[in-house]
Amino acid sequence: MVLLFCFVQRRRLLKELGDQKIPFLGPSDRGFQQLWDSSYSGLVLKRSCSLPAELHARVQAALLTLRKKGCLLRDLVRVRDRDVFTNVSRALLGDQGHTYRYLDTRLFAIPWHNEDSEVKGQNCCDPDLRAACKALWELNNFFCSDVAQLKEGDRLAQCAKGETETKQAEQGDTESKHSEDSKISEGGDSESQKSEEGDTESKHSEEWDVESKQSEEGCSGTKVEGDWETGSRHSSEEGESSLVKPSETCVAGESEHSEGKLPGWQAKTILKTESVGPGTQGKALAQQKHSSEDKEEQVSRQGCSHPSPPQVCTDHARFNVTLLNYMDPSSMSQLKEEPYYGMGKMAVGWHHDENLITHSPVAVYSYSCHDDKGESSEGSGSEKACWRIGLKVAWDIHTPGLMLPLESGDCYYMRDDLNSTHQHCVLAGDTARFSSTHRMAECSNGTLTYIQSKCQEALSNLHTDPETGSHSLLALLPTTLQRCEEIHNEVEFEWLRQYWFQGQRYTRFCSWWSKPMEQLEKDWKLMEMMEQQKYYYYYYYYYYYY
């Protein structure tokens, strides 16, 4: 049912789009702040100057240390029944025993190595790596407290009064043009779109098929997008976004695109997002889609024997993992062009961040440098293009996209339901870039404590004779045996195979997971023996009675 819905939606949008590019707005474009406030209010930008300089220094040194030690590795993920490597090299840091699952791949978190772990005397890595992890834990704590402080929608301090007045004046000019432009756009290209439907579908179907399955960062060329959202809900909170005017280097060419292509469409859609919002029919479809998708995704994402109900984020943000990313565009032979807006080369394709607590925020720290020595890209001259983030409303080709330049040290938050109702991509600059993406991962079925408790549950049905050491099953009820088999499969396919295939690579940096996984393998062998006992009893039963 969900796949059929996605297919119908894709065909409808392709016919409506035709050969045109969807307009997008950058900081130099008229109506940019108005679009941000009306359709992307869950996005909050923090310029680098708003973070303590000491924190910048520790975090950037930590990222370079992890890069120097070789801790950032490419993942092999499952995309449309194909195994592909991510373009982005990455590592997962987080709370002890936590994992993060995306695109059928489970990442095992290197612990934060904060004060609590030092008290326990765990010497699982060298001091340099421990210090690097601890610095990112400090950044994580900063984000937890800062996101909570921004909950009231305060506009960030670095947004100057002069810029605000200029934006208001620009908005007034934009509104005066809306009445004329909207009339032009309403009578637009409906006939030409109808005549080009056949050609359009053949030209765009491959791109939309690829994007429709993509659900996580790292595969701009081959990775595909999942969890499309139907309803394009817009947050009504005001004053959450802040903007410092970026350098002209970062935004060159943006105005030409947004003003030169489909100006009437642009004016119409900005007005539409302010007054109308998504229709009732779209909301009903979204609710139906969510009800069926949530059940399926919970099982597929975690692979657990009995999925837990999805968690919903409370007001207090508690980031439990951070996914570190590193990419040097100069080392990539090909980067995919952004297909719908013409924003440029994509380092990371359009996606939602998956496996998160519902409506939980995401905090991202961006650090650009020339090389592994950490030379900053700031002040490097006009020849260097900066990295950017692109956002769009999912399943919506009428609302213009948003393109936001990022300078080294900038941070941004995706709050409220922005991650679920919108999609974002990362547009490559000319320099290498690190990012630390802090998340509230849905780990009810993805922690070491969880899987250990499941092992204890299954092994409680095993009796070991203290004298002979022989094993036997305590209960032969079908429900009990089936439950043990489910746990046995979960341990094997969701933990052991994932760890020995990719997670074990991090053992040479940090050995924290070694002993727990060895114990998990021992428990699996006991459960394997229980499976053999089960079939022995079945064979004996049928042979004796039949």
Side-chain angles (χ1 to χ4, degrees):
M1 185 65 182
V2 176
L3 292 177
L4 177 62
F5 172 82
C6 294
F7 178 75
V8 173
Q9 282 289 93
R10 190 182 305 124
R11 287 179 62 90
R12 181 184 66 81
L13 294 180
L14 284 173
K15 292 178 181 179
E16 192 170 355
L17 180 60
D19 289 331
Q20 304 174 84
K21 291 289 185 183
I22 309 173
F24 71 92
L25 300 183
S28 62
D29 297 320
R30 179 175 298 176
F32 170 74
Q33 190 66 46
Q34 180 184 3
L35 175 66
W36 188 344
D37 293 339
S38 62
S39 300
Y40 301 91
S41 60
L43 176 68
V44 178
L45 174 67
K46 287 185 69 69
R47 288 303 188 191
S48 58
C49 58
S50 62
L51 273 69
E54 298 81 3
L55 183 60
H56 275 300
R58 287 195 296 270
V59 169
Q60 293 174 8
L63 294 172
L64 293 170
T65 297
L66 292 170
R67 167 68 178 163
K68 181 179 179 181
K69 288 182 174 293
C71 298
L72 302 172
L73 304 171
R74 297 172 69 189
D75 293 327
L76 187 64
V77 296
R78 191 73 172 171
V79 174
R80 293 178 61 83
D81 299 326
R82 293 184 297 120
D83 295 322
V84 296
F85 280 102
T86 58
N87 288 336
V88 178
S89 301
R90 55 187 25 157
L92 183 71
L93 273 65
D95 293 346
Q96 287 191 0
H98 277 55
T99 66
Y100 180 69
R101 198 176 190 277
Y102 78 105
L103 290 178
D104 291 336
T105 296
R106 186 178 296 279
L107 302 183
F108 296 80
I110 301 174
W112 298 117
H113 293 104
N114 51 19
E115 289 79 6
D116 295 336
S117 61
E118 292 178 359
V119 171
K120 297 179 181 179
Q122 296 174 343
N123 297 319
C124 54
C125 60
D126 62 71
D128 291 340
L129 183 59
R130 182 182 295 272
C133 294
K134 187 175 179 180
L136 290 165
W137 172 73
E138 294 174 356
L139 177 64
N140 191 72
N141 288 344
F142 174 84
F143 282 149
C144 289
S145 60
D146 194 57
V147 169
Q149 292 176 2
L150 289 169
K151 190 60 183 176
E152 297 300 324
D154 296 333
R155 200 174 282 274
L156 299 183
Q158 65 266 32
C159 189
K161 292 183 179 179
E163 292 180 345
T164 304
E165 294 174 356
T166 302
K167 292 168 187 173
Q168 291 176 350
E170 290 177 349
Q171 290 174 8
D173 295 338
T174 304
E175 291 173 359
S176 65
K177 293 177 62 180
H178 281 169
S179 58
E180 297 179 3
D181 291 342
S182 59
K183 293 179 181 178
I184 298 174
S185 61
E186 287 175 358
D189 302 324
S190 58
E191 294 297 327
S192 61
Q193 287 181 9
K194 290 180 182 178
S195 63
E196 295 173 356
E197 284 178 2
D199 297 336
T200 300
E201 185 169 354
S202 62
K203 292 178 182 178
H204 291 278
S205 59
E206 182 178 355
E207 292 178 351
W208 278 80
D209 286 341
V210 169
E211 187 179 8
S212 65
K213 294 278 288 181
Q214 181 176 343
S215 57
E216 191 45 64
E217 298 183 359
C219 294
S220 62
T222 54
K223 190 170 177 187
V224 290
E225 188 171 10
D227 297 340
W228 281 88
E229 300 290 341
T230 310
S232 55
R233 292 175 289 168
H234 305 301
S235 173
S236 60
E237 295 184 18
E238 298 180 356
E240 293 180 11
S241 58
S242 68
L243 176 67
V244 173
K245 198 77 169 180
S247 62
E248 295 300 326
T249 306
C250 297
V251 298
E254 297 164 15
S255 178
E256 178 182 353
H257 172 84
S258 58
E259 294 182 3
K261 292 186 178 181
L262 308 177
W265 190 5
Q266 172 184 329
K268 174 186 175 182
T269 52
I270 295 178
L271 266 179
K272 181 178 179 180
T273 56
E274 285 183 331
S275 57
V276 180
T280 56
Q281 196 172 22
K283 290 182 179 179
L285 287 171
Q287 292 174 357
Q288 294 175 3
K289 180 172 180 287
H290 279 303
S291 62
S292 58
E293 271 190 340
D294 289 344
K295 297 178 181 178
E296 295 180 7
E297 288 178 2
Q298 193 67 21
V299 178
S300 62
R301 289 184 309 192
Q302 298 289 352
C304 58
S305 52
H306 284 283
S308 301
Q311 300 181 26
V312 179
C313 179
T314 59
D315 291 340
H316 179 66
R318 174 68 178 87
F319 300 116
N320 49 18
V321 297
T322 179
L323 188 60
L324 305 179
N325 302 287
Y326 173 80
M327 182 178 178
D328 185 358
S330 63
S331 64
M332 303 301 298
S333 57
Q334 289 184 346
L335 288 177
K336 181 182 175 182
E337 287 282 347
E338 195 285 310
Y340 310 123
Y341 300 86
M343 292 182 176
K345 297 288 186 180
M346 293 192 303
V348 179
W350 291 107
H351 67 282
H352 305 275
D353 290 346
E354 64 174 325
N355 195 19
L356 305 182
I357 295 175
T358 304
H359 292 175
S360 63
V362 177
V364 181
Y365 180 89
S366 179
Y367 169 48
S368 302
C369 60
H370 287 311
D371 49 34
D372 292 344
K373 295 181 180 180
E375 183 183 353
S376 175
S377 62
E378 296 178 356
S380 57
S382 60
E383 71 279 0
K384 295 293 183 181
C386 66
W387 287 71
R388 293 144 293 153
I389 178 176
L391 289 98
K392 69 183 180 73
V393 180
W395 286 118
D396 186 354
I397 61 174
H398 297 290
T399 305
L402 194 76
M403 194 277 292
L404 189 66
L406 297 174
E407 298 176 359
S408 182
D410 285 351
C411 307
Y412 62 90
Y413 303 146
M414 293 186 294
R415 292 181 36 212
D416 304 323
D417 61 351
L418 184 72
N419 179 60
S420 59
T421 59
H422 294 61
Q423 292 168 312
H424 58 281
C425 70
V426 180
L427 304 163
D430 291 340
T431 59
R433 174 186 181 256
F434 294 91
S435 68
S436 180
T437 60
H438 298 249
R439 310 170 184 216
M440 297 174 64
E442 207 294 297
C443 289
S444 59
N445 306 309
T447 63
L448 180 62
T449 302
Y450 160 80
I451 198 61
Q452 286 176 339
S453 66
K454 296 305 173 186
C455 290
Q456 293 176 2
E457 178 185 346
L459 295 177
S460 64
N461 193 40
L462 178 67
H463 173 71
T464 304
D465 190 286
E467 296 181 359
T468 63
S470 60
H471 300 284
S472 61
L473 300 179
L474 295 176
L476 297 177
L477 294 174
T479 54
T480 303
L481 297 179
Q482 181 181 0
R483 176 63 175 155
C484 293
E485 183 177 357
E486 291 173 351
I487 295 174
H488 174 247
N489 290 334
E490 184 177 358
V491 171
E492 177 179 349
F493 293 100
E494 287 298 320
W495 291 82
L496 292 178
R497 289 177 180 262
Q498 294 273 3
Y499 178 77
W500 293 115
F501 179 59
Q502 291 194 120
Q504 194 183 22
R505 299 177 299 170
Y506 295 93
T507 305
R508 64 181 185 269
F509 314 121
C510 179
S511 61
W512 189 91
W513 282 96
S514 298
K515 290 184 179 180
M517 297 307 295
E518 289 174 3
Q519 182 59 48
L520 205 59
E521 187 174 4
K522 292 179 181 178
D523 294 341
W524 175 85
K525 290 179 178 178
L526 289 175
M527 285 184 277
E528 183 78 4
M529 184 269 300
M530 293 173 65
E531 290 295 306
Q532 296 174 359
Q533 288 280 341
K534 178 182 70 174
Y535 289 113
Y536 169 77
Y537 283 119
Y538 283 164
Y539 175 79
Y540 177 80
Y541 175 82
Y542 284 108
Y543 178 80
Y544 182 80
Y545 288 100
Y546 295 98

